[in-house]
Structures are given as C-alpha cells and as structure tokens.
Amino acid sequence: MTHRTDSSSKMMRRLVAGVSVVGALGVLAPVGVSTVSAADTEPGVSQLLKSGGLQTARRGVQVPIAPAPELTPTAPLSSVSIEDRFAAQVIELTNVERAAAGVAPLGALPKLAEAASFHVEDQRNNLCSAATLSHVGSDGSRGVDRILRTGLNISRWAENVACGHPTPEAVVKGWMNSPGHRANVLDARLTHIGVDVARSDSTGLFYWVQNFATLR
C-alpha cells in the first residue's frame, strides 16, 4: 500500500483537513518504540518538558482554528485514502476536545492543510525519534514560514507535530497528555485548523502535522 495518494486525492484531503499555523511536535510509537512529542507555541522559546511519558519541546506562536467539514457524502469510502480519513478524524477529535473544554470549534482551512503537507512531505522519512522530530524543515523553515507560503494573512499561529502514533485517537490523546500540545489544541484565540498525515517509506509509521491559525 502506498503511503500517499495521487494529486487529486491529495487535494481532496487538503480541502477536508484545512490549514494550520502554530506548531507542536509529537511522536507516539507502537509498542516497543519510544514516543516523542514537541509543541511550537511561543517564538524564540525552547524548553524541554516531560509529561505522561512524552518528551515535549515547545517553541513557536499560536493561532485560532475552525471546525472540520464532513467528507463529501457522494465520495465512496473506498476512494478516500486512510491518510485522508485520518486527517479528517484528527480535526473532528480536536474539536471534540475543545467542546469538552468549552472552547469554540476550529474551522478547517485548506491552505493550513497545505502548509502542514509541506512539513509532512519534508519530514516523514526521517527517523521517528526525539532527536530528529522537529518543527524546523530541512530548508530552515518554521511553521509560520510554511503557513505564509500559502498566501494566508494571519495574526496568530501554532503547530503540533508527531510521529509513530498508529491512529487519530492515539495522536490526539498524546497531544492532550502533553502540556504544550494541549495548550495549542485548546487555545481559544485560534480559529482555524489544517492537518496532513503520511507514512514513512521505510517504516510505515505515520507522521502527523496539525496547524492552527487566526486570520487577519
């Protein structure tokens, strides 16, 4: 099974998943694999935290997010890739957590999903470890740089990144158990969200990027 879909399917995922800005990195791996996570929430701040067995590196700025749209009813389930479904489910679960905390839902924004895909494609084949999981792209870009590349005009941003989590439920749970990531998920100032997911060619592990933003 291929780790990605063709261009049309990828675009469908972007429309479903939306766009995001502030960053947090998170890695939850299957049994036998160590887990790692990091959140990007305050620019210029780098701090190592430990919570619930997850190592979290915080750095960045945060942005509002919007609610996730439903998949097109007319599209056969078999035609939607597992990555597409996972991305949509992450948005749904994120809004479930926000609702439980009394925070408004995030709206899915295609350009935020596009920004997330930049980092997913750049990082998915890296080793899934605390030493390699990063918000910084191979070109030196940060979450806010990738968001601005899409042409969005934002006032706040945030990004959560993770690898090794086998399901949307697992990655969202991992983020919620990490102070830095949880802060991004529940930030009432953020209004929109975008998610992208892809597998590593060598290990088959999923790499997850969740972007948040508030538009100007």
Side-chain angles (χ1 to χ4, degrees):
M1 179 177 181
T2 58
H3 64 276
R4 302 295 285 170
T5 58
D6 59 24
S7 59
S8 61
S9 179
K10 183 174 182 179
M11 179 56 69
M12 179 191 299
R13 177 168 70 254
R14 288 179 177 173
L15 292 175
V16 169
V19 182
S20 64
V21 218
V22 178
L25 303 179
V27 179
L28 289 181
V31 177
V33 181
S34 60
T35 64
V36 182
S37 99
D40 197 351
T41 55
E42 297 174 10
V45 177
S46 181
Q47 181 180 11
L48 186 64
L49 304 174
K50 286 190 177 181
S51 173
L54 291 178
Q55 292 182 340
T56 303
R58 299 188 60 204
R59 180 184 51 181
V61 182
Q62 307 166 339
V63 188
I65 317 167
E70 298 180 357
L71 292 175
T72 305
T74 55
L77 185 59
S78 60
S79 70
V80 180
S81 72
I82 187 172
E83 291 88 352
D84 293 345
R85 285 187 281 118
F86 276 9
Q89 287 168 25
V90 165
I91 295 178
E92 180 180 0
L93 291 170
T94 296
N95 279 329
V96 166
E97 295 292 349
R98 287 173 69 90
V103 181
L106 298 167
L109 189 59
K111 285 192 175 181
L112 281 178
E114 181 182 356
S117 74
F118 291 156
H119 202 48
V120 163
E121 288 302 321
D122 181 55
Q123 301 287 307
R124 65 185 176 81
N125 286 318
N126 287 348
L127 178 66
C128 181
S129 73
T132 57
L133 185 64
S134 174
H135 287 282
V136 181
S138 60
D139 61 354
S141 66
R142 293 182 56 211
V144 65
D145 301 314
R146 295 184 287 271
I147 291 171
L148 294 178
R149 284 178 189 169
T150 69
L152 286 174
N153 186 6
I154 62 174
S155 59
R156 297 188 65 80
W157 67 275
E159 176 181 76
N160 283 343
V161 180
C163 66
H165 304 65
T167 64
E169 291 81 4
V171 72
V172 172
K173 180 178 180 179
W175 282 331
M176 292 302 292
N177 287 334
S178 167
H181 299 85
R182 181 187 180 88
N184 284 343
V185 169
L186 301 181
D187 191 336
R189 297 168 297 179
L190 298 173
T191 57
H192 294 77
I193 186 173
V195 175
D196 199 50
V197 186
R199 289 179 185 271
S200 163
D201 289 333
S202 58
T203 67
L205 294 177
F206 287 107
Y207 192 93
W208 312 76
V209 174
Q210 180 183 51
N211 283 343
F212 307 91
T214 298
L215 306 181
R216 288 186 186 280

